[in-house]
Amino acid sequence: MRRLAAVMAAAGLGLTAACTAGGDQSGGGPAADEKQTIEVWHGWSAPHEVKAFQDAVAGFGKSHPNITVKLVKGQTDERITNAIRGGNPPDVVSSFTTDSVGQWCKSGAWQNLAPYIAKSKLDLDQFPPAVQQYTQYKGTRCAMPLLADAYGLYYNKGLMKGEEPPRTMGELTTLAKKLTRRDPDGTIKVAGFMPSVQYYEHQVQHLAPQFGAKWLTGDGRANFAGDPAFTAYLKWNRSLIDWYGYDNVKEFLRSMGQEFESSNPFEKGKVAMAIDGEWRTKFIQEEAPKLDYGTAPAPVSDDRASTYGGGFITGTVIGVPRGAKHAQAAWEFVHYLTTDTGALVTFANALGNVPSTIPALSSPKLTLPPQFRTFLDVFKNPNSSTTPPTPNGNDYIVRFEKFTQDEWEPGKVGDLGPALTKLDTEVDDALKLAGG
């Protein structure tokens, strides 16, 4: 739920210059079976979120009665980073974004968990491949997954009038035009689908991969000019914006309600179809319980119809920071919370997120609405993908998003090829500065 704010903050953490990787710290502090108190920092702050975390943690106290857990809510990546730099970190830290994993792993700000994993004989194959990817950087695994987010298509059944959800971008475009309603002056009353990256979760990282876009080359360089999928995505984006009229799009965006409030335009019936995360089911349940809606995987480009079913996935991550005073007990906590099916299901039910292990995905104790099944399937689908980690976080995503929003959508770019080549150079220069 807090992904947007976390994503935009991730690019500026600057961890690499301030932290240096340490050695094996898995034997640090008291033994795990000694009596001790560990401090755990997490980002959840709303009362129901805090209670959900407490409920998920309760089982750990029963299996580890010697370890008292002190939970500290509402913590940000910036606070975590400052505590690590200052040499006074908590024992366990978690983050809503995976975008900083490359920085944390490369710098050693979050400990390499390989020694802990080996001692615990933990089977990493209980996590889907994309999850294994976003919790490590170049072979260093410094994070574990704690619940996940999967993205799919939400559609308003009343506005759809019996139409099936689109499977390809061509079908989406046709249906979006058919379902759009305008005032006589062209103002958008109901948007069939709003293609702009400024529409909440319609960010580039959630839509471009549906065209097959690969963010980085095999040697870790920017791939915007070299991968025709980016051009295909941008041309699709602009064609639908041009059909609406850019000024009409801007006016509609200005009129939108808050993403995480009942004024959200999808919940109000002002948008027929939208890409969103699984958490929207929980919001609809609480804010718009009478809304008749369905969910489906996000459409893919017409030339990739066989890959339909996958989508963008990411998740909350948790780890042990460098300098943790109770490292062994901290790992026991991380191990429990990220692999215990009961804890994950309890947490997922309360927050409306996807459990991050394959066993938890099939638990009969999941009590989520039927529309949630789509996101469990997307999460398991081999065609699902995530954004690769880098030493400077999500800088390449931020740059591409800014280009799309500020230059491409308003029609300021004539020749796309040189513009993407220039963007590649800027991204690569920034990666070099970060040691990538």
Side-chain angles (χ1 to χ4, degrees):
M1 300 179 203
R2 312 305 175 85
R3 191 80 49 205
L4 278 175
V7 164
M8 297 311 293
L13 289 178
L15 287 165
T16 304
C19 304
T20 55
D24 180 359
Q25 301 176 57
S26 61
D33 58 0
E34 293 185 28
K35 188 173 180 62
Q36 58 198 294
T37 297
I38 62 171
E39 187 166 307
V40 177
W41 285 12
H42 65 86
W44 288 282
S45 58
H48 78 280
E49 296 172 333
V50 173
K51 184 179 185 302
F53 198 82
Q54 291 170 339
D55 291 345
V57 170
F60 178 76
K62 296 177 181 177
S63 60
H64 297 76
N66 62 298
I67 302 175
T68 300
V69 180
K70 178 184 177 183
L71 299 176
V72 182
K73 66 180 182 179
Q75 298 303 302
T76 64
D77 287 359
E78 183 178 5
R79 290 176 186 168
I80 289 169
T81 301
N82 289 338
I84 296 171
R85 286 173 173 166
N88 190 34
D91 299 296
V92 177
V93 290
S94 70
S95 171
F96 289 129
T97 176
T98 64
D99 294 305
S100 299
V101 168
Q103 296 169 308
W104 288 325
C105 290
K106 180 179 173 62
S107 68
W110 285 29
Q111 293 185 34
N112 183 354
L113 299 179
Y116 299 99
I117 291 171
K119 290 176 183 177
S120 300
K121 298 181 180 178
L122 186 149
D123 180 11
L124 291 173
D125 287 336
Q126 64 188 291
F127 306 106
V131 175
Q132 295 185 42
Q133 179 185 347
Y134 69 61
T135 49
Q136 61 86 35
Y137 177 67
K138 291 189 175 181
T140 298
R141 185 173 306 285
C142 66
M144 291 285 287
L146 178 59
L147 299 188
D149 292 324
Y151 289 76
L153 181 77
Y154 285 73
Y155 57 95
N156 183 311
K157 290 185 176 181
L159 296 175
M160 293 280 279
K161 300 186 187 312
E163 296 278 0
E164 292 296 315
R167 298 170 66 94
T168 67
M169 289 295 175
E171 293 175 357
L172 173 66
T173 301
T174 299
L175 192 54
K177 293 177 179 180
K178 182 177 181 179
L179 299 179
T180 293
R181 291 164 44 202
R182 301 176 187 255
D183 287 327
D185 63 356
T187 301
I188 303 167
K189 287 183 64 177
V190 175
F193 183 89
M194 179 49 58
S196 175
V197 297
Q198 296 180 72
Y199 182 86
Y200 304 139
E201 301 299 331
H202 290 185
Q203 301 164 44
V204 294
Q205 66 190 119
H206 302 158
L207 280 168
Q210 299 306 103
F211 289 78
K214 304 296 182 186
W215 295 101
L216 302 175
T217 62
D219 60 352
R221 300 304 172 196
N223 202 28
F224 301 128
D227 187 348
F230 286 105
T231 298
Y233 159 69
L234 288 168
K235 287 185 175 180
W236 166 83
N237 160 278
R238 196 47 187 283
S239 68
L240 196 47
I241 285 178
D242 288 347
W243 181 81
Y244 278 116
Y246 182 66
D247 288 341
N248 292 327
V249 168
K250 286 197 301 181
E251 181 63 30
F252 184 83
L253 294 171
R254 281 196 292 265
S255 71
M256 293 192 311
Q258 296 298 313
E259 180 176 8
F260 298 115
E261 294 182 5
S262 59
S263 56
N264 181 289
F266 180 79
E267 295 182 20
K268 298 293 287 185
K270 295 182 178 179
V271 168
M273 300 177 290
I275 301 296
D276 213 335
E278 80 293 333
W279 63 76
R280 180 60 52 195
T281 61
K282 194 74 171 178
F283 279 89
I284 292 173
Q285 197 174 43
E286 297 176 358
E287 298 172 350
K290 295 182 179 180
L291 181 65
D292 187 15
Y293 76 101
T295 62
V300 296
S301 56
D302 294 51
D303 62 333
R304 301 179 68 250
S306 63
T307 67
Y308 177 74
F312 179 77
I313 65 175
T314 185
T316 299
V317 291
I318 189 168
V320 181
R322 187 185 63 238
K325 297 177 178 64
H326 306 87
Q328 296 182 65
W331 167 249
E332 291 298 319
F333 178 84
V334 170
H335 184 189
Y336 170 84
L337 199 59
T338 58
T339 61
D340 184 85
T341 297
L344 288 169
V345 168
T346 296
F347 213 8
N349 284 337
L351 296 183
N353 289 151
V354 176
S356 38
T357 66
I358 294 172
L361 290 171
S362 57
S363 171
K365 294 184 178 180
L366 281 173
T367 58
L368 296 160
Q371 294 93 337
F372 200 89
R373 171 53 56 184
T374 291
F375 303 98
L376 300 179
D377 293 340
V378 167
F379 187 66
K380 293 184 290 185
N381 192 289
N383 293 307
S384 290
S385 64
T386 190
T387 45
T390 71
N392 59 351
N394 66 341
D395 175 77
Y396 64 101
I397 298 288
V398 171
R399 290 177 187 271
F400 186 65
E401 178 101 4
K402 189 175 188 304
F403 164 78
T404 305
Q405 175 180 316
D406 297 346
E407 299 182 51
W408 178 248
E409 289 188 356
K412 297 178 181 178
V413 177
D415 192 344
L416 188 56
L420 292 181
T421 298
K422 179 175 179 288
L423 189 60
D424 281 341
T425 300
E426 292 171 354
V427 169
D428 288 344
D429 287 346
L431 279 169
K432 289 177 184 177
L433 286 174

